[in-house]
Amino acid sequence: MALRQPVADKLHSSVSACPDVLATHVVWKCAFGTIVDSFCGIGCLAIRLARTCQKVIAVDIDPAKIRLAYRKAAELGVAHRIEFRVGDSFATLSGITSEAVITSPPWDRNRRSVPKICAAARRVD
């Protein structure tokens, strides 16, 4: 019988735009009631934020990434503090109230998404 590799170990080989050292530094500075992690991907920031914030709303358009992030959060005992949402970050955040928004958006060579991201962050109460 083959042993299953824990999700946390699988994530170390996954590609993330947010290196561990950056995520650790950001989380050290953050302690909010509710924080939104738009474009959460595999949950690198969301999972760390769940240790210092009361509630994390993690959004990504890719359901496979959300499933992986949820599995890792459950394995690390913080899934109860994270509300995972699948969908477009701009549409999904409508009506959300939070103290902060953190984002590591997908790379955009032409930087077309930057104004849209800034506008969405201003709309979050």
Side-chain angles (χ1 to χ4, degrees), residues 3-110:
L3 294 175
R4 290 185 59 196
Q5 183 182 19
V7 176
D9 290 346
K10 290 178 186 175
L11 288 175
H12 285 67
S13 62
S14 298
V15 176
S16 175
C18 182
D20 277 346
V21 75
L22 176 59
T24 302
H25 177 73
V26 167
V27 170
W28 183 73
K29 300 276 188 182
C30 295
F32 297 101
T34 300
I35 188 167
V36 171
D37 180 5
S38 58
F39 309 103
C40 72
I42 59 172
C44 183
L45 280 171
I47 290 166
R48 284 175 175 81
L49 288 165
R51 294 181 178 141
T52 59
C53 300
Q54 292 174 8
K55 179 180 180 181
V56 179
I57 300 170
V59 183
D60 201 276
I61 201 161
D62 186 343
K65 289 181 181 176
I66 290 289
R67 280 192 302 274
L68 191 56
Y70 176 80
R71 285 178 41 211
K72 181 179 179 189
E75 187 175 287
L76 297 174
V78 294
H80 65 284
R81 298 181 96 169
I82 306 172
E83 180 183 321
F84 290 100
R85 294 181 177 204
V86 176
D88 177 79
S89 289
F90 302 110
T92 308
L93 295 177
S94 179
I96 295 297
T97 300
S98 75
E99 295 172 69
V101 175
I102 192 162
T103 186
S104 181
W107 295 99
D108 182 353
R109 241 184 238 136
N110 300 318

